[in-house]
Each structure stands twice: as structure tokens, then as C-alpha cells.
């Protein structure tokens, strides 16, 4: 299961390494929304939440769907700018339809197939379908989607203002603290690219990113099967200090492929109970369950959403979820007429950092 990026064509400009303030702010916002994914930043996240004004904290919660489970494509720039303000200006230049579609993808469950037809801004049926998917995700998602479709300009302005407030509250200080590390990594990658070529540069990004033997494809080891092309645009790689353990890939049609990768080294593996490993690996001994866990690692989902995402029947998904629940890897919570399943990160962590990193990439 891999993401394949076709880079066949002229060698010049196929890879670009750059630093993006907006992408790093988005990584920080993800840490704040999912601190369990980032134990190394738990103290920082706690301090930030404790110091936030209530108004800003509420704004972050109301828009967290843009960065919690996955990243809205416009928050991971393919053409980074030196400052956050300049990158936000670029986002402002995106047309409403592109912006709204990208926002709804993350709000409604990260399935781009649902948004390849008519625009929900212009088509009533598409609008109702988008709202139904948002409702299935939760009341907050439904409310956000309703506001976005009713008045995209107002929501866009509010999101930008929220990000600008984040800069004042915590981003500017955090950005200063990581700037040297990011610049150092950038120099290393560009030097490898210049002196040793694409293969060496990719190898330094992550062991999960490789160059295919024919030299025409970048292979990203993620628990998904997908492919995209970058013939004319190349691929942008963005280092991140706050991003670990995630390897974020933007590859939607119409967007230049972007990969945000962590620069910090992984922590040494901790001892793992053999009894626990034996019990839980038995529950995971099926590729479908791994795919379900990959989706659940991004946030709670219902049986119906999982079935639709992986083209399975609801009864088949239910059987696999039951096996995972018996192993203590999932928690089920009923909210109204929906039952949502949540990944138990602490229990899964006991299987070792390598497996967890593979699920969170």
C-alpha cells in the first residue's frame, strides 16, 4: 500500500525543498487538536491551551476539522513564502469553490471521491449530500459546513483572522524556536539534491520515501493505495519540527503535490510486553483491519463511513471492528443515532513505535 507520485519528464525542478510558516502553523494546530499523537509536544500543547484567550480557544475548536484528521490542502502550500502573512494572502486568492471543496473534504471525512461532481455551492443536491456527511461526523462539523456553504467569504475571513490570532498567541514564539532547525534541514536536503541527486535527498527525508528503480516515481509508504502526477509542477517537500510522526501528503487533483515530513529523530523504542504484542497482533492479522485503523487514526468514524471509505459492506466492517474491540484497540461511543469508533492510542502504542508511525503517516 503506497502513494505513487509520477515525476517523469525533465529532471530539472522535479523536487523542491522549502520552509513554510503556514504548514508549520498547521502542524502546531494539529498537535493542539491531537496531543496524543505527539507526546514529545504534550507539555508545549498544555502550556498553549492554558494561555489561550477563551475566544481564540473556541475559534480553534470550531475550525479544527481543517487540520485535525487531515490537513486542508490550502494549509500546506506548494509554493511557500517567507512569511505567514504572504502565505495567507495566497490562500485568499483561491476561488471559493476550490477553498470550500478542500475544507469540506477534511470536515466530512477526508474522502475526495465525494467531491468530484457538482459544486455544493451551486448544486442543491451536492449541498445536501455534503451536509449529510458533515452531520454524520458530528454536530460541530455540521454547523461548520452549514456556515461555510451559506457564506464562504465570512468563514474564510474568520479562519484567516483565527490563524493571525494564533501567530500572536503562540506561533511567532514557536516559529522562532524552530527556525534554525528547519533552515539547517533545508540546507542539508538541498545540498544532497544538488550533489547526490533525487534518490539521496529522498532517503534523507524518511525511510518511508524512496525513488522507484526507474527514477520516474516517488514511492511514499503509507497505508493507502493512490497515485498522482507531477510532470509539470514537480513535488514540494516541507520540513516540520511539530509534524512528527506524520508524513503528510497533499495530492488532490488540481493541487501541486506536497509532502510535509518530520525533521526530528524518532525516540528510541521502548520495551514492549510480549503477551500484549501476541494478543493484539493476532487481532491485527488482517489487511482490512489495518486499513480501518489507518482511517480511525485520523479521528472517530461510524461503521457506515468506514464501509464507504474502503468499499466494504457494513456487516464486514462490523465483524472487523468487533475483533479490534475485543483486543482493546477501539472504543465505541454512541452520539444520537450514530455510533463512532475511536482508536485507543495508548494500547496501540504498546505494539511499538514502528507500527504506530506507519498508521499515523
Amino acid at each position: 500500500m503506497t502513494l505513487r507520485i509520477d515525476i517523469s519528464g525533465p529532471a530539472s525542478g522535479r523536487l523542491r525543498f522549502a520552509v513554510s510558516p503556514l504548514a508549520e502553523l498547521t502542524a502546531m494546530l494539529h498537535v493542539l487538536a491531537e496531543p496524543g499523537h505527539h507526546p514529545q509536544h504534550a507539555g508545549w500543547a498544555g502550556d498553549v491551551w492554558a494561555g489561550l484567550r477563551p475566544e481564540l480557544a473556541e475559534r480553534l475548536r470550531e475550525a479544527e476539522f481543517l487540520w485535525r484528521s487531515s490537513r486542508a490542502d490550502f494549509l500546506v502550500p506548494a509554493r511557500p513564502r517567507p512569511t505567514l502573512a504572504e502565505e495567507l494572502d495566497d490562500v485568499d486568492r483561491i476561488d471559493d469553490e476550490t477553498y470550500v471543496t478542500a475544507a469540506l473534504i477534511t470536515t466530512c471525512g477526508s474522502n475526495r471521491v465525494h467531491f468530484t461532481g457538482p459544486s455544493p455551492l451551486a448544486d442543491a443536491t451536492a449541498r445536501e449530500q455534503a451536509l449529510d456527511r458533515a452531520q454524520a461526523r458530528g454536530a460541530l462539523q455540521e454547523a461548520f459546513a452549514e456556515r461555510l456553504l451559506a457564506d464562504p467569504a465570512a468563514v474564510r475571513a474568520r479562519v484567516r483572522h483565527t490563524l493571525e490570532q494564533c501567530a500572536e498567541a503562540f506561533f511567532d514564539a514557536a516559529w522562532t524556536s524552530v527556525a534554525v532547525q528547519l533552515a539547517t534541514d533545508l540546507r542539508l536536503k538541498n545540498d544532497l539534491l544538488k550533489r547526490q541527486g533525487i534518490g539521496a535527498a529522498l532517503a534523507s527525508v524518511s525511510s518511508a520515501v524512496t525513488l522507484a528503480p526507474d527514477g520516474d516515481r516517488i514511492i511514499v509508504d503509507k497505508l493507502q493505495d493512490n497515485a498522482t502526477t507531477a510532470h509539470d509542477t514537480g513535488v514540494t517537500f516541507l520540513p516540520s519540527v511539530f509534524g512528527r510522526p506524520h508524513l503528510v501528503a497533499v495530492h488532490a487533483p488540481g493541487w501541486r503535490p506536497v509532502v510535509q515530513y518530520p525533521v526530528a529523530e524518532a525516540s528510541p523504542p521502548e520495551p514492549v510486553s510480549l503477551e500484549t504484542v501476541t494478543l493484539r497482533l493476532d487481532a491485527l492479522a488482517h489487511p482490512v483491519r489495518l486499513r480501518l485503523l489507518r482511517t480511525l487514526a485520523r479521528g472517530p468514524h461510524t461503521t457506515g463511513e468506514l464501509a464507504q471509505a474502503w468499499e466494504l459492506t457494513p456487516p464486514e466492517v462490523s465483524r472487523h471492528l468487533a475483533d479490534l474491540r475485543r483486543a482493546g484497540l477501539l472504543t465505541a461511543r454512541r452520539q444520537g443515532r450514530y455510533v463512532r469508533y475511536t482508536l485507543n492510542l495508548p494500547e496501540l502504542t504498546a505494539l511499538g513505535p514502528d507500527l504506530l508511525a506507519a498508521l499515523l503517516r
Side-chain angles (χ1 to χ4, degrees):
M1 292 181 281
T2 59
L3 168 63
R4 300 167 298 284
I5 305 175
D6 188 337
I7 57 170
S8 58
S12 176
R14 288 196 286 180
L15 262 67
R16 178 190 182 188
F17 288 91
V19 171
S20 165
L22 179 56
E24 192 67 2
L25 170 56
T26 305
M28 294 178 193
L29 291 171
H30 175 76
V31 172
L32 293 176
E34 289 285 5
H37 290 187
H38 309 271
Q40 72 275 28
H41 296 306
W44 173 85
D47 290 342
V48 169
W49 278 119
L52 286 183
R53 291 182 291 105
E55 178 193 359
L56 179 54
E58 180 59 29
R59 280 177 170 241
L60 292 184
R61 293 187 180 97
E62 74 178 24
E64 68 176 10
F65 324 111
L66 299 178
W67 51 73
R68 181 168 197 153
S69 298
S70 58
R71 316 291 167 83
D73 296 330
F74 52 79
L75 294 178
V76 189
R79 295 174 176 82
R81 304 281 191 170
T83 68
L84 178 63
E86 290 174 289
E87 291 186 324
L88 292 176
D89 288 342
D90 285 344
V91 173
D92 287 344
R93 296 185 185 99
I94 299 172
D95 62 85
D96 279 348
E97 183 172 333
T98 301
Y99 185 102
V100 168
T101 298
L104 287 177
I105 286 170
T106 59
T107 303
C108 298
S110 306
N111 193 336
R112 290 180 169 84
V113 175
H114 295 153
F115 297 95
T116 55
S119 167
L121 289 176
D123 184 89
T125 300
R127 173 190 172 87
E128 288 306 312
Q129 290 174 342
L131 291 175
D132 285 345
R133 295 186 187 104
Q135 182 187 52
R137 302 297 296 135
L140 291 177
Q141 288 92 328
E142 181 183 17
F144 182 81
E146 286 179 342
R147 291 194 301 271
L148 182 65
L149 291 172
D151 192 348
V155 172
R156 293 180 65 163
R158 186 173 177 85
V159 169
R160 171 163 184 157
H161 187 221
T162 298
L163 298 177
E164 290 172 336
Q165 287 182 310
C166 289
E168 299 175 7
F170 61 85
F171 172 73
D172 289 345
W175 178 248
T176 299
S177 71
V178 302
V180 172
Q181 190 173 357
L182 292 173
T184 300
D185 183 84
L186 196 62
R187 286 194 297 271
L188 170 64
K189 298 298 189 294
N190 283 319
D191 185 65
L192 283 172
L193 183 61
K194 178 181 179 180
R195 297 177 182 276
Q196 300 184 39
I198 292 176
L202 293 177
S204 70
V205 167
S206 168
S207 60
V209 181
T210 57
L211 184 67
D214 60 11
D216 286 340
R217 286 167 298 138
I218 296 173
I219 309 299
V220 184
D221 180 23
K222 293 176 72 71
L223 284 172
Q224 64 186 46
D225 286 307
N226 217 323
T228 188
T229 61
H231 296 155
D232 302 322
T233 62
V235 184
T236 300
F237 284 83
L238 306 174
S240 173
V241 170
F242 280 82
R244 177 167 297 280
H246 304 303
L247 192 64
V248 176
V250 171
H251 54 88
W255 298 86
R256 175 176 178 166
V258 182
V259 176
Q260 185 184 42
Y261 63 92
V263 301
E265 293 296 327
S267 302
E270 298 181 358
V272 179
S273 163
L274 180 59
E275 181 180 359
T276 299
V277 169
T278 302
L279 174 66
R280 290 179 174 164
L281 285 183
D282 183 66
L284 297 174
H286 198 294
V288 170
R289 292 178 202 143
L290 287 177
R291 288 172 179 155
L292 296 177
L293 283 177
R294 178 186 181 274
T295 302
L296 290 168
R298 295 170 176 266
H301 286 72
T302 65
T303 299
E305 289 173 333
L306 292 169
Q308 192 172 49
W310 292 105
E311 298 182 351
L312 301 168
T313 65
E316 185 179 4
V317 172
S318 293
R319 289 194 296 271
H320 287 300
L321 293 177
D323 289 335
L324 293 168
R325 286 187 68 190
R326 279 192 292 269
L329 298 176
L330 298 181
T331 298
R333 291 186 176 88
R334 177 174 292 279
Q335 295 179 344
R337 61 192 179 99
Y338 296 102
V339 176
R340 294 186 177 84
Y341 294 87
T342 303
L343 178 65
N344 293 338
L345 280 171
E347 286 75 9
L348 189 57
T349 303
L351 290 174
D354 290 341
L355 177 58
L356 180 60
L359 293 174
L360 295 179
R361 271 201 295 271

